[in-house]
Amino acid sequence: MEAGGGGRAVVRPSPRLRGRLRVPGDKSITHRALLIGALAEGQSLVEGGSDGLDCNSTAACLTALGVRIERLGEAPGGRIDRRIRSPGRAGLRLEPGQILDCGNSGTTLRLLAGVLAGTSLQALLDGDASLRRRPVARIIEPLRSMGAGLSAREADTVPPLSVHGRSRLRPIDYTTRVPSAQVKSAILLAALVAEGTTTVRESVATRDHTERMLGSRGVRIEVRQGNEGERAVSVEGMMPVRAMDERVPGDLSAAAFFLVAGAAHPDAEVTIEGVGVNPTRRAVLDILRRMGADLDERTLPAQGAEPAANVTVRSSDLRGIDLGPRDVAGAIDEIPILCLAAAAARGRTVIRGATELRHKESDRLGGMAVGLAALGVPVEVEGDDLTIDGRPGGLVGTDLKALGDHRLAMTWAVAGLLAPGGTVISGAGSVDVSHPGFFADLERLHS
Ligand code: S3P
């Protein structure tokens, strides 16, 4: 395997996959530990956080806002310890005219907008070409109704996003229009300065790291779960956020690539150590089990407010399944690699209601369909549904494009492990967004 810069990687099949790996710290939890650490006056340590470009974008924006963030030591396997010293929300400052560059990171942009909505600052948030195509109306609407001033390009639909904060906001009772942890979190972070209780309702439970972290830092937060999987999260405003150390578990979304590689490979046994298995994030494990994957979870002591486990995968006889909108919401970042699992499985997989995939770092629905077809897999897209006819042992090596999307680059790398002939990935350097050592880790499993 050769990998290079922003450029090309060539991945070839390996006769056996064996080994134990630690993946980078969870990206979603790292963003939150940095942002919530910045809201708390004083010192917080973030141990084992992600050193990917996305989390570094969050750290750089916070530094521009006057938060001191120090990197402690090396970053083995994309995990880094950081010390945060913050003046607290009221002490955040910004040089006039300075743009907050969120890079490729939708989480940085949307969560930071929630933080800034509750300050007396005026800020402009921007990012790369991919981020400039991603929807922001979904946060503008609720944050405006709380009293903050927000506007964006093209009739308030896409970044750059301007935020004119207020140090006191109105509480709201808001039902999200799409299942989105970013929208929910932006509202909850703004709600910390609301004069009363804010409630966010969602029809499907999305990742709850913000709720857990705020709760463990002394904020009064209540979660009510309905019978159909819907949730209501209420947070009380005007409560201080305590500075606190956080230990970040491994990123299950990063682990998913190796888990599918192991399950689909004919001779594999791979363990991912210390990975987060939060119930709102673990859908990928449950979906892989439904597909027949041989997965074994060993529970570890919780990492702060987050459950963790060692997860072992062995070669499996995968079969196609039907996935609906709830599955898509629960495994939103893992759908690309689950599509590859489907391509390597016996029978048909149908994924329904994958609309949100079109609004990620790339149009992942379109990108997956093109790439899978090039790998020789019969695939059909109809509206926002995807049908994949699996071909166990039938992928053929080819040239694939990452389209500037880290999760497509990693999906195609796993395809390269299974497809005879060599798979060439252009734009492979995008893996640095979430997993800087990805190709080295993949190489380590070859034996
Ligand atoms: C994230 C939420 C999800 C996910 C993204 C990270 C988060 O986005 O796709 O990678 O950390 O809150 P949406 O909230 O837009 O679904």
Side-chain angles (χ1 to χ4, degrees):
M1 182 181 338
E2 311 130 40
R8 263 163 101 250
V10 183
V11 182
R12 295 198 170 77
S14 159
R16 279 165 25 117
L17 296 180
R18 287 286 184 282
R20 304 177 74 84
L21 281 183
R22 288 182 80 77
V23 288
D26 188 278
K27 185 157 82 69
S28 291
I29 298 174
T30 306
H31 283 300
R32 288 158 173 78
L34 292 168
L35 290 162
I36 295 174
L39 289 178
E41 189 180 336
Q43 185 169 306
S44 310
L45 201 63
V46 183
E47 282 181 86
S50 165
D51 194 31
L53 296 178
D54 268 11
C55 291
N56 284 323
S57 291
T58 293
C61 289
L62 292 173
T63 303
L65 287 161
V67 180
R68 285 175 56 198
I69 300 179
E70 190 186 343
R71 294 166 63 88
L72 307 172
E74 293 296 300
R79 303 170 71 87
I80 183 83
D81 297 344
R82 296 179 178 93
R83 184 182 292 125
I84 305 175
R85 288 195 190 88
S86 179
R89 181 199 299 269
L92 298 179
R93 295 281 174 272
L94 196 58
E95 287 292 322
Q98 173 148 13
I99 290 169
L100 294 172
D101 182 0
C102 304
N104 190 242
S105 176
T107 311
T108 305
L109 184 109
R110 298 199 183 101
L111 270 58
L112 191 56
V115 165
L116 291 168
T119 65
S120 44
L121 298 173
Q122 221 173 320
L124 190 66
L125 283 66
D126 201 357
D128 68 9
S130 150
L131 194 62
R132 280 182 164 211
R133 286 192 294 269
R134 298 184 63 187
V136 290
R138 53 184 64 189
I139 55 165
I140 290 182
E141 190 216 356
L143 294 176
R144 258 187 199 159
S145 69
M146 297 177 83
L150 292 96
S151 58
R153 210 162 50 90
E154 292 180 21
D156 294 333
T157 57
V158 287
L161 172 71
S162 143
V163 182
H164 195 152
R166 301 257 184 287
S167 52
R168 292 281 176 277
L169 294 172
R170 277 191 296 276
I172 53 170
D173 187 323
Y174 187 79
T175 302
T176 55
R177 298 181 196 288
V178 287
S180 167
Q182 292 179 359
V183 173
K184 173 179 63 177
S185 298
I187 299 169
L188 294 177
L189 292 170
L192 296 173
V193 299
E195 292 169 314
T197 302
T198 294
T199 299
V200 183
R201 299 173 197 277
E202 48 186 5
S203 58
V204 186
T206 62
R207 64 193 70 193
D208 65 358
H209 308 303
T210 306
E211 295 91 302
R212 286 174 185 248
M213 205 176 281
L214 289 176
S216 70
R217 287 168 181 250
V219 173
R220 207 164 297 148
I221 191 153
E222 192 198 334
V223 181
R224 276 151 296 143
Q225 177 87 48
N227 294 334
E228 311 280 313
E230 73 277 20
R231 272 195 187 194
V233 184
S234 297
V235 64
E236 205 168 300
M238 312 311 289
M239 297 207 52
V241 179
R242 237 188 352 245
M244 198 179 118
D245 296 348
E246 301 278 353
R247 289 191 62 152
V248 182
D251 196 328
L252 182 58
S253 301
F257 296 97
F258 301 100
L259 297 177
V260 170
H265 192 281
D267 185 359
E269 179 168 342
V270 174
T271 298
I272 312 297
E273 295 178 334
V275 76
V277 288
N278 176 315
T280 59
R281 283 291 291 285
R282 52 168 297 118
V284 62
L285 297 175
D286 303 328
I287 292 169
L288 281 171
R289 283 211 176 90
R290 276 158 62 197
M291 296 181 77
D294 179 356
L295 291 177
D296 177 41
E297 278 174 65
R298 295 278 154 97
T299 305
L300 297 171
Q303 305 266 296
E306 296 284 343
N310 288 344
V311 184
T312 299
V313 64
R314 297 181 192 83
S315 306
S316 312
D317 185 14
L318 294 175
R319 49 184 180 270
I321 49 165
D322 278 2
L323 298 176
R326 269 176 200 280
D327 297 306
V328 173
I332 185 74
D333 292 336
E334 294 77 53
I335 296 294
I337 191 62
L338 285 170
C339 287
L340 188 73
R346 263 184 302 117
R348 173 168 287 191
T349 291
V350 183
I351 303 176
R352 291 198 175 80
T355 328
E356 275 298 300
L357 283 191
R358 296 208 184 268
H359 305 300
K360 295 297 174 185
E361 287 83 329
S362 69
D363 168 4
R364 289 185 176 156
L365 204 54
M368 283 313 299
V370 170
L372 289 178
L375 285 160
V377 181
V379 53
E380 211 176 292
V381 182
E382 217 186 299
D384 293 324
D385 301 343
L386 190 66
T387 302
I388 299 165
D389 284 313
R391 300 188 60 202
L395 302 185
V396 285
T398 183
D399 289 7
L400 296 167
K401 290 193 175 68
L403 303 175
D405 185 332
H406 56 131
R407 300 202 198 277
L408 291 197
M410 294 188 272
T411 299
W412 302 144
V414 174
L417 284 182
L418 307 173
T423 297
V424 181
I425 305 154
S426 51
S430 58
V431 301
D432 291 353
V433 160
S434 59
H435 191 162
F438 173 79
F439 284 101
D441 283 341
L442 201 62
E443 184 94 60
R444 216 164 284 147
L445 298 180
H446 282 229
S447 63

